[in-house]
Each structure stands twice: as C-alpha cells, then as structure tokens.
C-alpha cells in the first residue's frame, strides 16, 4: 500500500499542474525568417512550450508557414493535452490543416486542426502541402489519463468528383466500429476491416476501442459531385472562376516543369497547376493528354489555370508537335498568356533583380526590349556579346507581359574540343565544349546523370535527349560547367547526348565514412555496415563506426528501409550541402541502393512502449503497467536498473524526457 501511495505521489508531482493555455500569435510572436531565400528551421518558446519546424517562414505579417514535407513539432516540460491550429485554408486544400499528417490523434474540420491526447512532444508532417497557420493554441498541464485517439480517415472528408475508397485508421491493436447512416457508432456497429467504397454523398462515423478504452466519435462527410463537360480551352476559359469541368477532347503539352504543365489546343493556352501526386512528372513536352481529365478554373496573373481537384489525368498515349511559335519584339505585348514562344537572335541586355532572376532581352539595332523572368532556373550564358534563340512562355507581372525563360540556345557552331571531363572542368565557367573521348554513364534519375571517364567523374544536371543505364558508353557529349554551392556541375547541351552503347557496369568504390573527402563529390561510393537513424522523412544519419554522415533521400523511386534496427551497405553519391547560416558546405550522401546486412533491436533508454521514441506516452504505459497491470509486454520497464519496476522508474523516464 505504501508503494502504491508513493507511486501516486510521483505521478501527481510530475503531471498534477493546473491546465493552462499557451497561444502563439504570428502577429506578435515572430520567428527569424521572412522570405523564401531565408526560409529554414524555425523555433519559438513561450511559457515553457516550444513550437518548431524543420523548414518554414515565421517572420511574416500574420502567419506561420510550414513548408511541404517539413515537420512541425510542439514540445513542453508539462503534458500537452490539446493543440489547436488555425489555418488560412480549409481541410486538405493547400495551406489548410488537412495537409498535416503523422499522428492518429490529429483531426481537422474546416480551417481548424486539433490534436488531443497526453504527451510532452507531438510532431506533424506537412505531407499534403504547405501549411499556413494564423494561430497555435496549446493546452498544457493536468493529470495523465489513459485515452485512445479517435480514428482518422484517408482521404479526408470533402468534395470529390469520383468514387473514393476510404481507409479508417486507429491506434495499433484497436478495433474500429463505424456507421454510414448518420448515427453514432457503438460496439454493436459494423467492424471496419477494409476500405469503404463511397460512390455517393456519405457521412462516415467511427470509434476505436482498446483495453476497455473507447475513443470519441470521428466523422467525415464525402460529397460526390459530377463535373460538367467542355470541349476545349476556350470553353473552359468562359467558365466562372471556381467552376469545375471535364475536357471532352485532348490537349498538347508545350512545356512541363514539376507542378506546372502548360498546354494548348486549337482554341488557346492554359496552365495546369497541381500537386506532385496529381501531375508532377507525368508529362513531357509534346505529350498529348487524353480526353477525360478535369479540374477547377482559376486565374493567375490574368492567365487561365486548371487547379485542384485534378482528376482523370491518364498517361500520354501519343506525342505531337509542340515547337515554340516565333514572336518578335514588336508583337510580344499582344501574345496570349501561356503561349509557348521563341524569340530568335536575341541579345541579353541585362541580368539583375533578386537572385539575378530578372532578365532583359533585346534585338540588335533596336531599342525595344522584352522583360523576362528566370522562373525555372535556366542557365544564363556569361557571354552577352552574341545572340541566342530564347524559348519561353508568355506570362505577366503587375499587369505587364513578360516571358518565363525555358531555354536559351546558343546557335554558334561548337568548335571547342577537350579530351575528357577534367579538360571541360579546366575551362572557364559557362564555356561550352565537346568532350572528344567517350564517357561512361553511372546512374541516371530525372535530370541527374552521373558520368565518369579516366580523368574523373561529374554530375550532368539538366535535360538530355536520351536515357542511360549503368555502364552505357556515350560519345561526343558537350556542355559547360557551373558552380552550385561549393561543387561543380556539368550543364548539358541536350542534342549532344546521343544514344549510348552497352558497356561494363560501374561498381561503387567501398569506402569508410572517415575516408570521404570533398574531392570525391559525384563519385559512386559504397559505405558498408551502416547504422541509420531517421531525422525526418528525407534526412537520415549514417554511422559506420568510423564517423557520421548525413543522408538525404534525393532520388525518385529510392526509399529508405523501414527496419532501422538492422545495418546496411549503402551505395550512392557524395555531394555537398550548405546549411542555413553555415560558412561552408558539408558533405552529404545521396543513396541509390540499400543492402541489408543484419542487426537486432536495440533498446532506447526511456522507450517503454517500444515505438522508437521517448514521449509522455512511455510514462503512461509504465504508469498503467504498475497500477493496473496493462501492457504487460512493456519494452523496457526497469529504467533505473534496480531490478524492479516501480514509481522510481516513472521518475527516471520523466527525467529522460526533460533531458535531466
């Protein structure tokens, strides 16, 4: 009895503080970074509560911005029982609370995201898009009460234009009960076992149960609507802003770059702007998008856009002519928005503005100029004394026409030759040359092509006209080089990258982390027997007992192993990365392949429930185990190593969380 009373006193001391609210208001509580160039990790602490994110802008007028794929974390030395996040947009729309995922206790409705539970640290991932928060309210203090979080729905409730298969998730080991008739579920309701097909407007309600605990009711309404049809871009343009429509006829892609796909048909031009999941990487210049796609009409800088929800975007089945249409200085201002154009024999008159993005184009013998903006980071030639063919898209800024640069073509015949990669790198930056001797392709992923020859290795960054396998031999490649951070990249002349011929595959050189140096950047390397620790969704720490190295998940289709208790042989490429405010760049590793070696789970001090992290939930698990005999298969209960599981172990875990 005395031991039980002692334990209860420990828990009351640890968690018995009165509940209170801490409010972070972006109009008052400012972060450090306020523009895209400065955007980096942010952190604010107030009344013992800290909010932070791995990438964002928190020094704006009225909002905190958490960038897409960044992690937002709330931590406190007292139990956090509720977090309320007010946003600028609704639900899963970009900037809305539904863009956050990563915790089963997090729900959202309208512009408000809510987390409820009891923990000293909560992390959410902005996986669905950037989140813009206008207020963050955190409730802290009070006793820890065993609870189970309400179920969550994927996709979230909202308006859709095709049937949805809705998954319901809850805590591991929980049973989910649900209804679709509008009534609140009970343990007598249907048990969830597989995704629910929703073909008409339906409200799904669900509860979760585990160990005699019953969650609150979670609810999501799915409104299934149909889209009207249009025949072409002109008809889509005539719609009211915000209306949705499906295309009866195909369109041709003139230029695609990430989330922006520019298209045309016989009646006009438009930009399709969506999420990475919807359109990014699906199309190339000249692809024909089959009929049956649709989305919402919007206006951007006077140009017509099709935006989310985007549906029905099938793989291109044919390729058509998508050459840019020639314009002149004189007829530039009359060109329609998003038209794909070429200005021949243009002179680069000036380069300036923030980050040298503003470019002025002219023609020899004329005082007239065209404003252009380097939206897609085209390499601007260093030689402004010769004329170029400039390809781009018509857009506008502040009501005035300008061009988005897509490509700058030097039509001067190449007569400059070097023997090898080292010879090209010995030239001045921006000087094009043909490499006389063949090179070997090592790895290609998107715009990244790694090559090598007897003189060294290089990263070719940019679009080339062919795809290559490891070992392919390429003859007559040409381009220049540019500096990026503190590394050198080759800028390709696409037409010189002809089809390769099969050769001997390049094997990575096995090196230890302590042997790596900056002169090995872009070399194909293998690091054996690495332990991996996850930092966030794209960053990991590698350790091979000779040192540590940051690993960044750079390439499409390459995913890190889920089992981080094992060790791995990791193959990839060394690069350099310059963190914000750092004076010099640091080495970083881009992996391409993981080979599992082995390993056993290693206990983490304080991780009582075995979920890989130490939070207030571990204190709750230990508390329930001691008082009520729950969770008897605890991962590591004897935290102080005295051979018993008592209240002193609760204190030990609590001290680990606080860093004592």
């Amino acid at each position: 009895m005395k031991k039980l009373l002692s334990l209860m006193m420990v828990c009351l001391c640890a968690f018995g503080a009165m509940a209170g609210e801490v409010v972070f208001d972006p109009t008052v509580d400012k972060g450090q970074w306020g523009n895209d160039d400065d955007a980096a990790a942010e952190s604010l602490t107030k009344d013992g509560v800290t909010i932070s994110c791995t990438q964002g802008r928190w020094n704006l007028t009225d909002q905190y911005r958490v960038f897409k794929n960044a992690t937002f974390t709330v931590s406190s030395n007292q139990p956090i029982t509720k977090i309320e996040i007010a946003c600028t947009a609704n639900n899963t729309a970009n900037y809305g609370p539904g863009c956050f995922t990563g915790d089963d206790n997090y729900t959202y409705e309208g512009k408000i995201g809510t987390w409820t539970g009891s923990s000293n640290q909560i992390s959410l991932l902005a996986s669905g898009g950037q989140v813009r928060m206008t207020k963050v309210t955190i409730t802290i203090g009070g006793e820890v009460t065993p609870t189970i979080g309400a179920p969550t729905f994927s996709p979230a409730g909202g308006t859709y234009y095709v049937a949805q298969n809705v998954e319901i998730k809850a805590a591991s080991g929980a049973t989910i009960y649900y209804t679709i008739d509008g009534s609140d579920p009970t343990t007598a309701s249907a048990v969830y076992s597989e995704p629910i097909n929703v073909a008409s407007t339906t409200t799904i309600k669900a509860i979760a149960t585990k160990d005699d605990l019953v969650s609150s009711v979670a609810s999501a309404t799915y409104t299934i609507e149909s889209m009207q049809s249009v025949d072409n871009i002109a008809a889509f343009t005539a719609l009211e802003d915000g209306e949705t429509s499906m295309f009866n006829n195909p369109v041709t892609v003139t230029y695609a770059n990430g989330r922006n796909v520019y298209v045309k048909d016989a009646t006009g031009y438009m930009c399709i702007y969506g999420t990475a999941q919807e359109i990014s990487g699906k199309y190339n210049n000249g692809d024909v998008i089959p009929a049956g796609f649709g989305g919402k009409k919007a206006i951007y800088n006077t140009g017509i856009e099709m935006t989310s929800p985007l549906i029905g975007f099938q793989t291109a089945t044919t390729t058509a002519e998508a050459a840019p249409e020639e314009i002149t200085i004189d007829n530039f201002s009359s060109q329609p928005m998003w038209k794909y154009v070429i200005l021949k024999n243009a002179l680069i008159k000036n380069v300036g503005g923030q980050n040298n993005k503003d470019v002025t184009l002219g023609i020899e013998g004329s005082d007239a100029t065209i404003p252009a903006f380097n939206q897609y980071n085209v390499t601007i030639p260093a030689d402004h004394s010769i004329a170029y063919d400039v390809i781009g898209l018509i857009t506008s800024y502040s009501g005035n026409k300008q061009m988005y640069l897509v490509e700058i073509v030097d039509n001067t015949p190449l007569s400059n030759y070097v023997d090898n990669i080292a010879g090209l790198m010995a030239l001045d930056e921006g000087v094009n040359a043909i490499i006389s001797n063949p090179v070997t392709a090592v790895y290609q992923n998107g715009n990244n092509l790694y090559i090598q020859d007897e003189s060294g290795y290089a990263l070719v960054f940019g679009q080339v006209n062919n795809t290559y396998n490891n070992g392919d031999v390429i003859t007559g490649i040409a381009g220049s080089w540019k500096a990026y951070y503190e590394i050198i990249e080759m800028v390709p002349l696409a037409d010189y990258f002809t089809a390769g011929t099969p050769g001997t595959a390049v094997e990575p050189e096995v090196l230890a982390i302590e042997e790596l140096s900056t002169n090995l950047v872009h070399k194909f390397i293998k690091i054996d027997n690495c332990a991996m620790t996850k930092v966030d969704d794209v960053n990991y720490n590698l350790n091979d007992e000779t040192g540590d190295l940051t690993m960044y998940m750079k390439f499409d289709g390459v995913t890190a192993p889920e089992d981080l208790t094992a060790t791995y042989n990791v193959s990839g490429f060394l690069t350099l990365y310059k963190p914000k405010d750092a004076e010099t760049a640091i080495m970083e590793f881009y992996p391409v392949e993981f080979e599992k070696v082995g390993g056993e789970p290693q206990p983490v001090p304080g991780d009582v429930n075995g979920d890989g992290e130490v939070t207030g939930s571990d204190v709750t698990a230990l508390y329930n185990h001691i008082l009520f005999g729950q969770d008897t298969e605890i991962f590591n209960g004897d935290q102080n190593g005295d051979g018993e599981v008592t209240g002193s172990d609760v204190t030990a875990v609590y001290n680990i969380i606080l860093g004592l």
Side-chain angles (χ1 to χ4, degrees):
M1 183 65 182
K2 288 182 179 179
K3 184 178 292 186
L4 178 60
L5 289 173
S6 175
L7 173 60
M8 293 178 67
M9 289 300 295
V10 169
C11 294
L12 285 172
C13 290
F15 299 107
M18 295 296 291
E21 286 187 349
V22 178
V23 178
F24 289 87
D25 182 346
T27 65
V28 178
D29 308 306
K30 297 291 187 181
Q32 184 175 5
W33 309 114
N35 59 61
D36 288 330
D37 297 323
D38 290 337
E42 288 277 19
S43 181
L44 290 171
T45 299
K46 185 177 181 180
D47 298 334
V49 177
T50 298
I51 62 172
S52 62
C53 75
T54 55
Q55 186 81 2
R57 295 169 61 186
W58 286 10
N59 192 20
L60 299 167
T61 303
D62 59 356
Q63 60 188 244
Y64 300 132
R65 294 186 181 181
V66 179
F67 285 5
K68 185 175 181 181
N69 294 324
T71 299
F72 174 69
T73 300
V74 181
S75 58
S76 172
N77 55 10
Q78 295 189 57
I80 301 167
T81 55
K82 183 178 180 181
I83 303 170
E84 186 174 278
I85 302 170
C87 298
T88 63
N90 287 313
N91 297 318
T92 55
N94 200 25
Y95 313 147
C99 295
F100 274 142
T101 60
D103 193 299
D104 291 342
N105 291 336
Y106 179 74
T107 59
Y108 53 88
E109 184 69 30
K111 294 183 179 181
I112 305 298
T114 305
W115 179 91
T116 56
S118 185
S119 180
N120 290 86
Q121 180 171 300
I122 299 92
S123 292
L124 300 170
L125 177 68
S127 60
Q130 184 184 123
V131 179
R132 296 184 177 180
M133 307 180 295
T134 57
K135 184 184 289 186
V136 182
T137 304
I138 299 104
T139 303
I140 59 171
E143 296 183 7
V144 174
T145 301
T147 60
I148 181 172
T152 58
F153 303 94
S154 179
T159 300
Y160 296 91
Y161 297 89
V162 293
Q164 300 294 307
N165 287 319
V166 180
E167 292 184 328
I168 310 177
K169 299 179 181 179
S172 177
T175 301
I176 300 171
Y177 299 89
Y178 74 96
T179 62
I180 57 173
D181 61 1
S183 64
D184 287 344
T186 67
T187 53
S189 301
V191 176
Y192 173 80
S193 60
E194 60 183 16
I196 303 166
N197 182 261
V198 179
S200 59
T201 298
T202 303
T203 296
I204 304 176
K205 296 184 177 182
I207 58 172
T209 67
K210 182 180 180 182
D211 297 333
D212 297 326
L213 299 173
V214 180
S215 76
S216 59
V217 176
S219 177
T221 298
Y222 297 85
T223 303
I224 309 298
E225 294 184 353
S226 58
M227 284 188 179
Q228 61 185 307
S229 295
V230 295
D231 288 331
N232 48 42
I233 292 175
F236 184 76
T237 301
L239 298 177
E240 295 292 329
D241 290 357
E243 284 192 84
T244 57
S245 187
M246 192 86 69
F247 268 60
N248 292 326
N249 292 299
V251 294
T252 300
V253 177
T254 57
Y255 179 67
N257 191 306
R259 295 161 59 118
N260 297 278
V261 176
Y262 301 92
V263 299
K264 70 174 183 178
D265 63 15
T267 69
Y269 311 85
M270 72 177 182
C271 173
I272 302 170
Y273 178 79
T275 66
Q277 293 84 1
E278 290 170 326
I279 59 171
S280 182
K282 283 189 176 181
Y283 303 109
N284 297 308
N285 300 9
D287 282 351
V288 175
I289 302 177
F293 66 91
K296 181 172 67 176
K297 181 200 171 182
I299 302 291
Y300 179 77
N301 282 345
T302 74
I304 302 301
E305 279 194 347
M306 176 181 282
T307 63
S308 297
L310 300 177
I311 64 171
F313 281 83
Q314 306 170 55
T315 301
T317 54
T318 58
T319 298
E321 177 64 37
E325 299 177 50
E326 186 173 352
I327 62 169
T328 66
I329 288 279
D330 295 332
N331 67 18
F332 167 74
S333 61
S334 64
Q335 299 300 319
M337 282 284 289
W338 306 137
K339 185 176 181 180
Y340 187 51
V341 299
I342 181 171
L343 178 66
K344 292 189 174 182
N345 300 313
L347 294 172
I348 298 172
K349 295 283 191 176
N350 186 52
V351 178
Q354 189 174 16
N355 294 323
N356 286 326
K357 290 278 191 176
D358 295 324
V359 180
T360 304
L361 303 174
I363 298 292
E364 188 172 357
S366 172
D367 293 331
T369 59
I370 288 178
F373 186 74
N374 197 3
Q375 173 76 8
Y376 297 116
N377 298 316
V378 173
T379 299
I380 307 298
D383 187 353
H384 294 180
S385 66
I386 61 175
Y388 301 90
D389 289 349
V390 180
I391 299 171
L393 297 149
I394 300 296
T395 181
S396 71
Y397 180 71
S398 297
N400 297 312
K401 290 286 178 66
Q402 67 173 8
M403 184 191 295
Y404 276 170
L405 299 180
V406 169
E407 185 179 3
I408 299 177
V409 181
D410 183 355
N411 289 322
T412 306
L414 267 184
S415 58
N416 196 18
Y417 286 82
V418 293
D419 290 335
N420 47 36
I421 293 172
L424 179 68
M425 301 307 168
L427 300 176
D428 290 338
E429 183 174 3
V431 176
N432 286 315
I434 300 171
I435 298 179
S436 300
N437 297 326
V439 301
T440 300
V442 180
Y443 179 75
Q444 187 176 18
N445 191 302
N447 282 344
N448 300 273
L449 170 63
Y450 291 87
I451 61 172
Q452 71 176 48
D453 62 15
E454 78 289 346
S455 72
Y457 23 83
L459 166 62
V460 180
F461 184 76
Q463 291 186 345
V464 296
N465 284 348
N466 283 279
T467 57
Y468 303 101
N469 298 313
N470 186 0
D472 282 354
V473 177
I474 321 169
T475 302
I477 69 170
S480 59
W481 66 265
K482 69 174 181 178
Y484 179 75
Y485 287 132
E486 297 177 11
I487 61 178
I488 302 300
E489 296 177 349
M490 181 177 176
V491 181
L493 295 176
D495 290 343
Y496 288 82
F497 281 76
T498 56
T501 57
T504 303
V506 177
E507 296 295 331
E509 181 178 353
V510 179
L511 294 169
I513 290 177
E514 67 176 0
E515 297 177 293
L516 302 181
S517 62
T518 56
N519 65 344
L520 298 175
V521 166
H522 304 325
K523 183 177 177 62
F524 195 27
I525 291 169
K526 184 178 181 183
I527 308 172
D528 285 344
N529 300 312
C530 288
M532 292 195 302
T533 304
K534 186 174 183 178
V535 178
D536 53 41
D537 277 4
V538 294
N539 290 286
Y540 291 75
N541 183 66
L542 290 182
N543 179 281
D544 69 350
E545 296 186 352
T546 73
D548 294 296
L549 181 65
T550 297
M551 180 177 74
Y552 179 76
M553 303 305 298
K554 166 75 171 179
F555 299 121
D556 292 341
V558 179
T559 57
E562 293 185 2
D563 181 10
L564 299 185
T565 65
T567 57
Y568 295 86
N569 299 334
V570 186
S571 300
F573 297 90
L574 194 65
T575 188
L576 293 176
Y577 168 67
K578 187 177 180 183
K580 198 68 182 177
D581 293 335
E583 293 184 1
T584 59
I586 61 174
M587 289 190 297
E588 192 172 62
F589 198 67
Y590 292 163
V592 299
E593 186 177 7
F594 298 91
E595 178 188 358
K596 188 173 183 179
V597 178
E600 295 295 329
Q602 299 296 317
V604 176
D607 182 22
V608 176
N609 59 13
D611 64 359
E613 56 184 355
V614 184
T615 65
S617 61
D618 296 296
V619 177
T620 302
L622 191 52
Y623 178 85
N624 290 337
H625 172 73
I626 298 170
L627 286 187
F628 309 115
Q630 294 180 6
D631 298 321
T632 55
E633 297 297 325
I634 56 177
F635 192 65
N636 183 20
D638 184 16
Q639 292 298 312
N640 61 10
D642 64 359
E644 298 181 284
V645 180
T646 65
S648 59
D649 295 299
V650 177
T651 303
V653 176
Y654 186 70
N655 288 338
I656 290 171
I657 295 172
L658 295 182
L660 301 178

